């Protein structure tokens, strides 16, 4: 009987000791797992934040690019596109539109520019137009190119028109020229046969004052390039004496 009680007591003590060990292990095991669980949660959160940050960064970059594109867009973009594409006919039309637009509200309402309004066009605007023409024509077209030719012929518009081939030689016994018919007889392609300064065109229907004001604009002045005025005045009489009676010019400003 005593032996049975002893065994029972021993078994009971062993059982209690085993439960205590399990309790001790269970006390530390969840703590170990609890360290891992928040780690997974934090990692997932960081991924979400990282993804959200990347999306925000992309949105900011996209917005910045859009803003920059809008800021760099100018009123001369259409002209630049036509010239890049070598579509000189459309570039010529766009140039006339820009001259009207930059000349002021009155010119826009009227649909054309008075010669007296040319001075109100800013140096920057005219230079921007001219720079695009010279850049995309290998220096063959543009107001600055036309100005050099105009000065070289002593500001004589008849000689200037012949030089840039706005006038054509007629097939007649007497040497005479006439203005080209717009637009078909003008040259809209850039090649070796295209005369220097042929484009852009300036409407001379109301005379040459408009073209004179454009070519005389401060935007195209270069130090010393206008010294020929003195020579022009000095040689004016000589020039008249040398005029051939066979050179008959028609004065029809039709373009």
């Amino acid at each position: 009987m005593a032996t049975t009680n002893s065994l029972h007591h021993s078994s009971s003590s062993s059982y209690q000791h085993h439960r205590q060990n399990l309790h001790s292990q269970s006390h530390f095991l969840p703590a170990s797992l609890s360290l891992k669980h928040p780690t997974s949660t934090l990692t997932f959160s960081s991924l979400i934040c990282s993804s959200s940050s990347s999306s925000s960064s992309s949105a900011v970059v996209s917005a910045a690019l859009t803003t920059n594109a809008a800021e760099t867009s100018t009123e001369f973009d259409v002209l630049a596109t036509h010239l890049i594409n070598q579509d000189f006919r459309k570039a010529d039309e766009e140039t006339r539109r820009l001259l009207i637009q930059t000349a002021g509200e009155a010119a826009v309402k009227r649909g054309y520019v008075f010669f007296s309004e040319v001075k109100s066009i800013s140096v920057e605007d005219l230079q921007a137009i001219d720079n695009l023409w010279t850049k995309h024509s290998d220096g063959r077209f543009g107001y600055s190119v036309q100005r050099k030719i105009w000065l070289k012929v002593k500001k004589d518009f008849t000689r200037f028109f012949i030089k840039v081939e706005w006038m054509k030689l007629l097939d007649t016994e007497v040497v005479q020229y006439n203005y080209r018919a717009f637009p078909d007889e003008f040259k809209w392609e850039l090649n070796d046969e295209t005369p220097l300064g042929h484009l852009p065109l300036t409407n001379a229907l109301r005379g040459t004052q408009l073209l004179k004001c454009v070519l005389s604009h401060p935007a195209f002045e270069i130090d010393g390039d206008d010294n020929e005025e003195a020579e022009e005045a000095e040689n004016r009489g000589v020039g008249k004496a040398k005029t051939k009676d066979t050179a008959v010019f028609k004065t029809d400003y039709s373009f």
Side-chain angles (χ1 to χ4, degrees):
M1 186 71 178
T3 302
T4 302
N5 290 336
S6 176
L7 288 173
H8 178 73
H9 180 267
S10 174
S11 175
S12 176
S13 298
S14 177
Y15 175 74
Q16 292 296 328
H17 178 70
H18 180 65
R19 287 191 63 185
Q20 289 177 357
N21 286 340
L22 287 176
H23 180 71
S24 297
Q25 291 176 10
S26 66
H27 175 74
F28 291 104
L29 185 60
S32 176
L33 290 175
S34 67
L35 290 175
K36 292 182 180 180
H37 180 69
T39 302
S40 296
T41 303
L42 288 173
T43 302
F44 182 68
S45 298
S46 65
L47 287 173
I48 293 175
C49 291
S50 175
S51 175
S52 177
S53 177
S54 298
S55 299
S56 299
S57 298
S58 299
V60 170
V61 171
S62 177
L65 290 174
T66 302
T67 301
N68 289 337
E71 289 177 352
T72 56
S73 178
T74 71
E75 60 185 325
F76 307 107
D77 288 348
V78 174
L79 175 60
T81 299
H82 291 326
L83 289 171
I84 290 171
N85 294 333
Q86 301 286 281
D87 192 339
F88 295 111
R89 172 71 187 281
K90 288 185 178 179
D92 185 68
E93 293 175 355
E94 177 64 11
T95 299
R96 275 193 291 279
R97 189 194 69 79
L98 286 171
L99 286 181
I100 294 171
Q101 178 180 310
T102 55
E105 186 178 346
V108 172
K109 289 181 178 179
R110 189 187 313 116
Y112 57 88
V113 181
F114 281 151
F115 72 90
S116 57
E117 294 171 326
V118 173
K119 62 184 178 182
S120 66
I121 302 176
S122 71
V123 168
E124 293 76 17
D125 285 342
L126 274 180
Q127 286 181 343
I129 293 170
D130 183 64
N131 289 340
L132 287 172
W133 274 99
T134 55
K135 177 181 178 180
H136 298 292
S137 66
D138 295 327
R140 298 185 62 82
F141 296 153
Y143 292 123
S144 59
V145 177
Q146 293 174 352
R147 174 182 167 85
K148 291 177 182 178
I149 297 171
W150 181 56
L151 294 178
K152 191 172 182 179
V153 298
K154 314 297 183 186
K155 300 184 179 180
D156 184 319
F157 278 108
T158 298
R159 294 170 62 192
F160 171 79
F161 292 154
I162 294 172
K163 197 74 175 176
V164 299
E165 294 192 23
W166 289 0
M167 296 179 76
K168 62 180 181 178
L169 179 64
L170 299 179
D171 186 16
T172 58
E173 292 182 3
V174 179
V175 177
Q176 58 180 335
Y177 292 82
N178 196 8
Y179 290 89
R180 294 182 182 274
F182 180 85
D184 296 338
E185 292 187 350
F186 286 89
K187 302 180 179 182
W188 304 108
E189 295 181 0
L190 181 63
N191 52 49
D192 294 338
E193 297 180 358
T194 307
L196 198 67
H198 190 68
L199 297 172
L201 304 178
T202 299
N203 194 324
L205 185 62
R206 289 170 291 278
T208 59
Q209 287 180 307
L210 175 61
L211 180 58
K212 180 180 180 180
C213 289
V214 172
L215 299 183
S216 301
H217 196 282
F220 310 122
E221 288 181 356
I222 301 174
D223 291 341
D225 74 343
D226 208 15
N227 290 336
E228 301 197 22
E229 281 199 40
E231 293 181 21
E232 179 186 358
E234 186 178 334
N235 299 326
R236 192 168 293 153
V238 177
K240 287 182 179 179
K242 291 182 178 179
T243 303
K244 295 181 180 180
D245 56 1
T246 55
V248 180
F249 303 102
K250 295 186 177 181
T251 56
D252 176 21
Y253 302 104
S254 57
F255 61 91

